[in-house]
């Protein structure tokens, strides 16, 4: 059974993770072969995931670092002071 | 905190917890709560819990998993305490995508390619800011799942357990969160016609 644009969008999560059943995957690929907007949609959905996965960590603000040092010191004592 | 599967070879010391894990706790809390001050409070709460229970985790590979769970629970508790849960109605992005476009055979508006390369190894500062802002704007139930899945890299089953949801519910929220993120980012990255 052929899929339309909406059905393709609903199945995208399993399509991009490779978890889609073979039959449905073939129907999606057939649809992509004749629907340029859906090709772009799938590509930009993938880009969204890929870019999010590349987000670097945000450094802790200096005042938080100091606050956490005090917490750790009060629990562990001066002998085990973190060096950060 | 994505090293849940492989275990941790080095022993857990106060210094290692402080230098390596506290920033991870802060980043997860900040992205779930979308607020620096709340994230700082949660980071302190979690660090205290770690400090008090560290002896039970020395040399144990289960520590990162436990820390993820404690951080998520602390962030959710903090949000409940502040009673900031959003009650606003969220439009289903799938409906928006095909609204007024008939029977699902056409997109409601033109779909344009992005001028972004998937091979770009590092995101520039402006792109990072756009993604962080789009995540912070997600409705909370969608944001939680998105952060845990696509930033932290946790498997759906683990997220389901943490958030007390079924796996299909996690997948449904994650998919809609990704669609919302795509829609939010699209105007910034679309190629100029």
């Amino acid at each position: 059974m052929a899929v339309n644009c909406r059905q393709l969008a609903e199945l995208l999560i399993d399509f991009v993770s490779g978890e889609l059943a073979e039959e449905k995957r073939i129907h999606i690929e057939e649809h992509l072969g004749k629907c340029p907007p859906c090709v772009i949609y799938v590509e930009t959905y993938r880009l969204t995931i890929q870019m999010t996965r590349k987000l670097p960590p945000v450094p802790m603000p200096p005042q938080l670092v100091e606050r956490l040092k005090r917490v750790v010191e009060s629990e562990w004592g001066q002998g085990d002071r973190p060096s950060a | 905190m994505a090293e849940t599967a492989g275990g941790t070879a080095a022993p857990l010391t106060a210094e290692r917890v402080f230098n390596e894990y506290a920033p991870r706790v802060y980043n997860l809390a900040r992205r779930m709560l979308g607020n620096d001050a709340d994230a700082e409070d949660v980071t302190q709460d979690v660090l205290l819990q770690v400090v008090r229970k560290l002896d039970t985790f020395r040399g144990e590979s289960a520590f990162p998993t436990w820390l993820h769970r404690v951080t998520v629970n602390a962030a959710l508790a903090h949000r409940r305490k502040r009673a900031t849960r959003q009650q606003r109605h969220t439009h289903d992005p799938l409906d928006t995508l095909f609204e007024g476009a008939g029977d699902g055979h056409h997109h409601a508006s033109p779909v344009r390619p992005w001028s972004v390369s998937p091979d770009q190894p590092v995101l520039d500062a402006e792109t990072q800011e756009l993604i962080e802002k789009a995540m912070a704007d997600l409705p909370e139930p969608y944001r939680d799942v998105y952060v845990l899945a696509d930033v932290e890299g946790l498997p759906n089953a683990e997220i389901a357990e943490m958030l007390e949801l079924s796996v299909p519910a996690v997948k449904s929220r994650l998919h809609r969160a990704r669609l919302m993120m795509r829609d939010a980012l699209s105007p910034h990255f679309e190629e100029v016609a």
Side-chain angles (χ1 to χ4, degrees), chain A residues 3-14 16 19 31 35-38 40-41 43-45 47-61 63-69 71-72 74-76 80-84, chain B residues 14-15 18-19 22-23 26-27 30-31 40-41 43-44 47-48 51-52 54 94-95 97-98 103-107 111-114 116 118-121 123 127-128 131-132 135 146 150-151 171 174-175 178-179 181-183 185 189:
Chain A
V3 297
N4 62 26
C5 300
R6 177 167 183 130
Q7 287 162 336
L8 180 142
E10 285 168 357
L11 295 170
L12 255 185
I13 188 166
D14 288 329
V16 301
E19 292 172 50
H31 180 94
C35 184
C38 277
I40 298 170
Y41 201 82
E43 186 186 301
T44 50
Y45 182 91
L47 277 171
T48 302
I49 300 166
Q50 289 164 355
M51 290 199 301
T52 302
R53 288 184 177 159
K54 288 178 190 165
L55 270 184
V58 175
M60 292 195 295
Q63 78 275 6
L64 176 62
V65 173
E66 285 308 311
R67 182 174 156 192
L68 295 181
K69 274 182 187 172
V71 168
V72 172
S74 68
E75 283 292 319
W76 266 319
D80 206 4
R81 181 187 162 91
S83 61
Chain B
E15 193 165 333
F18 191 85
N19 292 329
Y26 171 69
N27 272 269
R30 183 175 172 274
R31 286 171 174 145
E40 291 183 17
D41 290 345
T43 306
Q44 179 174 327
L47 195 70
L48 260 178
V51 167
R52 288 169 182 164
L54 190 62
L94 281 167
D95 289 339
L97 186 59
F98 297 101
D103 53 3
H105 285 280
H106 301 283
H107 294 254
V111 184
R112 297 194 178 88
W114 289 4
V116 173
D119 303 323
Q120 186 185 354
L123 302 177
T127 302
Q128 289 172 30
I131 298 172
E132 296 279 7
M135 273 198 305
Y146 190 77
D150 284 351
V151 180
K171 284 177 69 176
L174 176 58
H175 185 38
R178 286 172 173 175
L179 295 174
M181 287 291 293
R182 197 213 78 93
D183 289 352
L185 296 175
F189 296 130

Side-chain angles (χ1 to χ4, degrees), chain B residues 123-149:
Chain B
L123 302 177
D124 59 49
E126 189 187 351
T127 302
Q128 289 172 30
E129 202 175 311
L130 286 169
I131 298 172
E132 296 279 7
K133 167 81 169 62
M135 273 198 305
D137 287 345
L138 286 174
E140 287 164 355
Y142 296 92
R143 192 196 311 150
D144 293 343
V145 172
Y146 190 77
V147 169
L148 292 170

